[in-house]
Amino acid sequence: MSVRVKGWSGRSGLAKVDLYTRGTVHLIVWVGVLGLTLLLLARPVREDGQQALVVTAMLLALAEGVLCGRLVRHAMDAYLGQGQVPRRLVAWAAAATAAATAAVVVLAAMVDLTGQLPTMLAAALAPFLTVHCLLVPNRTTALIQLVVLAVICGLVPLTGRSADEVLFTVATVGFVNGWMVFTARASMWVLAVMWELREARDVQARLAVAEERLRFGRDMHDVLGRNLAVIALKSELAVQLARRGRAEAADQMTEVQRMTHEAQQEIRELVRGYRDVDLGVELQGAQGVLEAAGIDCRTEGGDGSELPARIQSALGWVVREATTNVLRHGDAAHCVIRLAGTADHAVLVVENDGAPEPHSGAGGSGLAGLRERLMALDGSLDAGPAGEGRWQLTAKVPLPREER
């Protein structure tokens, strides 16, 4: 099975940033290794002992590069929270770095490396320090840098360098390694921020899907609740009429069939996302449904046609859910639906008698869905007992400034 490697143009923006950042850190590691190797090759030596030491230092530098090259991949994954770093690999890389640094110091004591010793020491230390800074906090990195500089300050005088040369070497090593560490750390920090933004975008997408599911479930409840309640009521009435041998049973079943077709059409429109609720239609429908169920229903305050479309839609859902609750809960004989308003609010009140005794516990999903709808318009919904055996639902929605 062949594996297809994507080219640069075929990668996403995050994949390009990830590849560029990881390549930069790998490049920092190998620049130090190759720089030290080239400096050792460029230094002519004649004695056999010195030649053996140069070859040993080169081999140690290459070993350090291989170990730090393997370690940097694990270190970057660990920095991004995508894996762990083998401790043995860290120990081996540290040992190779220490050995390569010691070889450079010993060579500097045997051969005149004037002008090259600071660069060699910086190149020998840069690969491991660049990688190790990704494994520890910033304070620990700074402390390690100071310890390394203190060790260099103690080793360089052993090569016969003067105080000025020691100071210059320590300053050069500190600046080069500090810059390499800062570059690697800053690059990985940018990459981590990019990954966090990607995760945040994924979470936002999942939340949008969940919110849409809640909205669809709420709409489904509101659409089917009243229709199913009326269908059940008319079906019971048809059963009773059929048992008595009344011809009206067929009329009731015909009405059930008609309402079933209407419910199916509403579901189709809801799924397509094209369904809008008209407040005037809902008020008339609520009055007709309640009166068909034997409940005296009275509407007051007009049909709300002067209200903005969004407010009409929200209040229309309130009328639909309130009608469903009147049918399903309690034994109402009278119901009043009153549409009123203040200077800056539209108010809808639905009040009925025959309410059951209030009980403790969580409210139904219908009222919770209505509150969510109204909260989207900065509105509110209150529902509760309004006296002995009476129930009142009040929806209040603020009007836009131009409508006040």
Side-chain angles (χ1 to χ4, degrees), residues 103-397:
V104 171
V105 173
V106 173
L107 183 64
M110 299 174 60
V111 181
D112 185 13
L113 298 179
T114 303
Q116 295 182 356
L117 180 60
T119 307
M120 285 186 173
L121 289 176
L125 292 169
F128 179 76
L129 294 179
T130 300
V131 177
H132 192 262
C133 75
L134 303 178
L135 305 176
V136 295
N138 290 331
R139 293 182 179 179
T140 305
T141 299
L143 180 60
I144 292 176
Q145 291 280 346
L146 293 177
V147 172
V148 169
L149 292 179
V151 173
I152 295 298
C153 186
L155 291 178
V156 173
L158 300 179
T159 62
R161 292 328 189 253
S162 63
D164 293 339
E165 292 176 328
V166 171
L167 182 60
F168 178 76
T169 301
V170 172
T172 302
V173 172
F175 174 78
V176 172
N177 287 329
W179 179 255
M180 294 296 185
V181 167
F182 171 78
T183 301
R185 188 85 180 195
S187 300
M188 291 306 300
W189 176 79
V190 172
L191 182 59
V193 171
M194 294 290 292
W195 276 107
E196 290 179 359
L197 291 176
R198 172 66 176 272
E199 293 177 359
R201 187 178 65 180
D202 292 342
V203 171
Q204 183 179 9
R206 289 195 296 269
L207 288 176
V209 172
E211 183 178 357
E212 181 62 20
R213 287 176 178 173
L214 290 175
R215 185 199 66 79
F216 185 78
R218 183 175 65 236
D219 292 351
M220 187 71 71
H221 174 274
D222 294 342
V223 167
L224 292 180
R226 187 192 67 176
N227 290 337
L228 292 179
V230 176
I231 290 173
L233 180 65
K234 288 188 172 292
S235 298
E236 293 176 1
L237 179 58
V239 169
Q240 294 178 4
L241 292 174
R243 288 176 179 175
R244 298 175 186 176
R246 300 282 296 274
E248 291 86 344
D251 296 335
Q252 295 296 328
M253 291 308 299
T254 301
E255 184 69 14
V256 168
Q257 184 180 17
R258 183 188 63 79
M259 297 191 67
T260 303
H261 290 316
E262 290 181 357
Q264 289 177 344
Q265 183 62 28
E266 288 179 346
I267 292 298
R268 294 191 188 99
E269 294 176 354
L270 176 63
V271 172
R272 296 191 187 103
Y274 296 135
R275 188 176 192 280
D276 293 326
V277 176
D278 184 85
L279 180 57
V281 173
E282 292 299 327
L283 289 172
Q284 295 177 3
Q287 185 175 12
V289 168
L290 293 177
E291 290 180 349
I295 300 175
D296 179 25
C297 180
R298 187 174 73 256
T299 59
E300 300 176 355
D303 58 0
S305 58
E306 72 281 358
L307 297 175
R310 293 183 63 190
I311 295 180
Q312 284 196 54
S313 178
L315 295 181
W317 285 112
V318 173
V319 172
R320 180 179 286 265
E321 176 63 24
T323 304
T324 302
N325 291 338
V326 172
L327 289 171
R328 294 175 57 186
H329 308 296
D331 186 19
H334 302 279
C335 179
V336 177
I337 304 177
R338 183 168 52 255
L339 181 62
T342 62
D344 53 0
H345 283 80
V347 182
L348 177 70
V349 179
V350 180
E351 185 176 348
N352 63 277
D353 58 3
E357 293 295 329
H359 58 88
S360 60
S365 60
L367 294 181
L370 290 179
R371 287 192 175 91
E372 293 177 4
R373 290 181 184 277
L374 296 179
M375 286 176 61
L377 301 176
D378 296 328
S380 62
L381 179 72
D382 296 321
E388 185 176 357
R390 300 189 65 81
W391 187 269
Q392 180 173 293
L393 182 146
T394 304
K396 183 181 296 186
V397 183

Side-chain angles (χ1 to χ4, degrees), residues 47-59:
E47 299 181 5
D48 294 338
Q50 296 176 356
Q51 293 178 354
L53 185 58
V54 169
V55 172
T56 301
M58 291 174 56
L59 293 177

Side-chain angles (χ1 to χ4, degrees), residues 25-42:
V25 179
H26 277 286
L27 182 62
I28 292 174
V29 171
W30 282 102
V31 161
V33 174
L34 296 178
L36 177 58
T37 304
L38 293 176
L39 288 174
L40 291 171
L41 286 175

